[in-house]
Amino acid sequence: TTADFSLLGQLVALLGLHVGDTSEEVGQMSAEAAYHLHHLIMSKLAKEMEEKPKNKKGNIVNWLREDFFFSGPTIFYNNVSKMAKAFGEHLSPSQINDLILKALEALTDPDKNISHTAGLLLNSFLEECGMEMEELPMILKEIYMRLPKISDPATKQQTLKAVCHLASKRVNKVVDILLESSVACDGTARELWRALAEDPYANLKIMKPLLKRLQNEDPTTEAFGRRNSQSIMPIA
């Protein structure tokens, strides 16, 4: 398994941050390195894949034999979402955490291209494997703290979109963690709740747990915090 590669998440993050580099040479080299890394992983898992040709979502992994091999080393060039699809299903929860933390660090990078790619990386991997991520409270609180420091509007939009993806996958925990974090009703809280309210899918998902919290009810056993928490819901 990929557990043998303890730094795999960090390595994928570093390569992902540069597959769309402003230097075409750097971007292509990073994409090629990611391609060979993925090939190494798939070679290691080849026997397991033959015995169990479905990924952890229950889908048959056809694309590995189609666009991946036919496209060659350029498949990941300037394509972070493709990297998320390729690597996401093979990363362990701790490796996903490592990757997300690296992406979060880069959100405020002075290089606008790096910060924007970090937003894409965060968004793509949380969409692909947010269900498997550990340390959800820590990740959301990191996003909450870093959001005001993101100067690039496109990067901030990708970060907010990533939170919406998380909310659609792990709604009760996300709602409770954000309520606990945003008692002060500051600008960051308003941005986060507004993004959730404006996202059609996330909006539908968060309404029920929010109403239950207002009624001092525990939406599910997955809820974060005490049953009768007095957290205040910020007004988006």
Side-chain angles (χ1 to χ4, degrees):
T1 66
T2 59
D4 297 333
F5 300 94
S6 60
L7 300 179
L8 181 60
Q10 296 181 48
L11 181 55
V12 172
L14 289 172
L15 293 174
L17 288 171
H18 293 284
V19 295
D21 199 275
T22 50
S23 165
E24 186 176 346
E25 182 181 3
V26 172
Q28 289 183 345
M29 287 179 65
S30 300
E32 185 174 349
Y35 171 83
H36 290 302
L37 176 61
H38 188 264
H39 184 75
L40 177 64
I41 292 170
M42 295 313 299
S43 296
K44 183 175 176 58
L45 298 177
K47 185 176 181 180
E48 179 183 333
M49 294 292 288
E50 288 176 5
E51 295 173 353
K52 188 178 180 182
K54 294 183 179 181
N55 62 21
K56 59 190 175 187
K57 295 180 180 178
N59 300 320
I60 296 176
V61 190
N62 289 322
W63 71 274
L64 288 172
R65 297 181 177 84
E66 295 173 359
D67 59 321
F68 181 78
F69 287 115
F70 286 119
S71 297
T74 61
I75 186 172
F76 298 133
Y77 179 58
N78 207 24
N79 198 333
V80 172
S81 62
K82 182 71 76 174
M83 281 193 68
K85 286 183 172 64
F87 287 95
E89 64 181 354
H90 302 301
L91 295 178
S92 69
S94 63
Q95 290 165 345
I96 294 170
N97 270 15
D98 290 342
L99 185 150
I100 296 301
L101 288 173
K102 281 290 182 185
L104 287 172
E105 288 175 12
L107 287 174
T108 52
D109 193 281
D111 185 327
K112 183 178 177 180
N113 186 67
I114 292 292
S115 66
H116 181 59
T117 306
L120 290 171
L121 195 70
L122 181 70
N123 185 29
S124 298
F125 273 90
L126 287 183
E127 180 180 12
E128 187 66 27
C129 44
M131 284 295 292
E132 288 74 35
M133 187 182 65
E134 297 175 337
E135 304 294 342
L136 181 60
M138 178 186 69
I139 297 298
L140 279 174
K141 287 172 183 177
E142 279 289 319
I143 291 175
Y144 193 94
M145 288 189 295
R146 291 179 184 275
L147 198 62
K149 302 174 185 177
I150 300 174
S151 57
D152 177 46
T155 301
K156 181 170 285 192
Q157 189 60 36
Q158 288 292 334
T159 306
L160 292 170
K161 192 175 178 182
V163 175
C164 291
H165 282 313
L166 269 182
S168 67
K169 294 175 184 296
R170 302 172 71 172
V171 59
N172 293 311
K173 277 196 172 184
V174 169
V175 165
D176 283 325
I177 293 165
L178 289 181
L179 285 173
E180 295 288 341
S181 301
S182 57
V183 175
C185 299
D186 56 14
T188 303
R190 287 193 294 272
E191 280 190 291
L192 284 165
W193 288 107
R194 184 179 295 114
L196 290 170
E198 291 176 352
D199 183 278
Y201 191 64
N203 185 305
L204 290 173
K205 297 281 283 187
I206 67 173
M207 191 57 64
K208 184 176 179 180
L210 277 176
L211 289 174
K212 285 185 174 292
R213 284 299 298 272
L214 288 172
Q215 297 165 357
N216 286 326
E217 295 180 16
D218 188 350
T220 72
T221 55
E222 189 189 27
F224 176 86
R226 294 176 297 180
R227 178 182 179 87
N228 294 317
S229 172
Q230 298 301 314
S231 298
I232 302 171
M233 184 182 77
I235 300 174

